[in-house]
Amino acid sequence: MNTKRVLDGLLQQKLLTLPAYQRLLAELCPQNERAWFSARLLLAGVGFVLAGVICFFAANWQHLGQALKLALPLAGLLACGLGAWYKGVQNAAGQAFGFGAGVFIGVFLAVFGQVYQTGAFVYQLFGPWCLLLVPLAVLLRNKWFWLMTVYVGAVYWISKNFSWFAPSWPLWYGVNGLFIAAWALAEVFVRQNGRVFCRFLWVPFSVFNLYFALMERVYFAKEWTFLIFALVFAAAALLYAWYKKDIVLWAWNAFMLAGLGSLWVIALDGVFLCFWISTAFFALAGGAVAWAWPRMREDKNNE
């Protein structure tokens, strides 16, 4: 039985106060710094290895035969699959092999398209890749793998509808709808375990809206619709972060508001004036974070 998960559930159902939860967690699940560093070093190692595999194909593409181009990612996929099966997906090693398998699926699809010249657009790679990641995500039951799956699906949708100079409403509706749905699902299925995960979904969500506001402001100087919506989203997220006492989400959206506010001053004459106004916005955001941090911590301790 996972003792921490039981305690998280009791805390979520308000059957334990936060001080009692922290005391029991320290007694029943003492911190193991060596295990903590080991897990993060494993994560970093997996990331570097997978990045090295992708760079290997990119650097040696012209020197590899067609059979070898197809065989190497398939061999990697098979090895990762066997590793996940042997280690089991319940532990860190099995999860790492599962991530490797997910990346090798994408590598094989890319190599297959290049070898046989399927004539597909680049964005079409991410569509089948996302669909193939879904059953693997179900098997792994890893929230970060689900996040990667959402990102791959978002890249497909954005790339299919992307235009540098003409931000479109269908694309805006589609991507925002995707991220809001993913966030809502994460709220239901992840937060019940007492783990903060949803804030990571706000990163691409916010960046996407910032990009749309910037493109509209630069190329359609009299249009402010996307910027207004982005401001509303960031302000709503700021209120939500205060309600949840999530300082990371609060800080992210405070600085997002500062960045969006800076877009309002682009049309002003004078570079120095724009610079100082933008600096003031970001200074206010930093002050808001410094002001909120001790208050959020105190409120959590009093729950």
Side-chain angles (χ1 to χ4, degrees):
M1 179 181 293
N2 189 324
T3 305
K4 184 179 184 304
R5 182 167 295 180
V6 173
L7 293 176
D8 289 342
L10 293 174
L11 178 65
Q12 185 71 21
Q13 297 173 20
K14 300 188 182 302
L15 298 176
L16 279 179
T17 62
L18 185 61
Y21 167 82
Q22 292 173 339
R23 185 177 65 255
L24 289 172
L25 187 65
E27 293 176 0
L28 301 176
C29 306
Q31 291 184 350
N32 187 333
E33 294 184 358
R34 182 173 182 178
W36 188 88
F37 280 110
S38 177
R40 276 136 188 88
L41 288 174
L42 175 64
L43 178 64
V46 170
F48 282 124
V49 169
L50 295 177
V53 169
I54 295 173
C55 291
F56 170 81
F57 277 94
N60 298 281
W61 182 258
Q62 300 297 332
H63 306 290
L64 298 174
Q66 290 189 357
L68 194 58
K69 289 176 182 178
L70 293 170
L72 287 177
L74 283 177
L77 179 58
L78 179 61
C80 287
L82 291 174
W85 173 78
Y86 177 72
K87 289 292 186 179
V89 296
Q90 293 80 16
N91 57 48
Q95 296 279 316
F97 279 118
F99 270 91
V103 172
F104 274 114
I105 289 173
V107 173
F108 175 74
L109 291 175
V111 171
F112 185 87
Q114 287 291 321
V115 169
Y116 289 102
Q117 291 297 311
T118 58
F121 292 102
V122 173
Y123 70 81
Q124 290 177 317
L125 159 70
F126 296 93
W129 187 13
C130 179
L131 293 177
L132 292 171
L133 287 177
V134 170
L136 192 56
V138 173
L139 291 173
L140 291 177
R141 291 184 293 179
N142 183 293
K143 58 184 182 291
W144 303 112
F145 197 94
W146 274 111
L147 184 62
M148 182 176 76
T149 305
V150 171
Y151 282 178
V152 172
V155 170
Y156 165 74
W157 182 266
I158 294 172
S159 301
K160 183 179 180 181
N161 298 277
F162 181 81
S163 174
W164 278 104
F165 305 108
S168 65
W169 280 105
L171 174 60
W172 188 86
Y173 280 123
V175 174
N176 280 315
L178 173 68
F179 280 119
I180 289 174
W183 167 77
L185 289 172
E187 277 290 325
V188 174
F189 295 110
V190 177
R191 277 195 182 275
Q192 65 181 2
N193 295 328
R195 300 172 182 172
V196 177
F197 170 66
C198 306
R199 63 173 65 140
F200 294 95
L201 291 170
W202 283 91
V203 175
F205 180 72
S206 302
V207 171
F208 175 80
N209 280 284
L210 178 64
Y211 164 77
F212 258 53
L214 177 63
M215 289 298 100
E216 185 182 50
R217 186 69 192 96
V218 171
Y219 292 105
F220 307 100
K222 296 181 180 180
E223 298 290 335
W224 299 90
T225 313
F226 290 129
L227 178 57
I228 292 172
F229 275 114
L231 285 167
V232 170
F233 278 135
L238 203 67
L239 294 174
Y240 175 77
W242 179 264
Y243 172 72
K244 287 293 185 179
K245 303 299 183 287
D246 189 337
I247 188 61
V248 176
L249 189 61
W250 171 275
W252 174 264
N253 284 283
F255 285 106
M256 275 299 301
L257 281 172
L260 292 167
S262 299
L263 293 180
W264 286 91
V265 303
I266 289 178
L268 295 177
D269 293 329
V271 175
F272 286 104
L273 180 60
C274 294
F275 172 78
W276 285 113
I277 293 177
S278 179
T279 301
F281 284 151
F282 280 96
L284 287 172
V289 175
W291 173 84
W293 166 238
R295 287 164 175 79
M296 288 187 181
R297 183 170 56 182
E298 183 180 353
D299 289 344
K300 272 197 169 185
N301 291 336
N302 292 332
E303 288 181 353

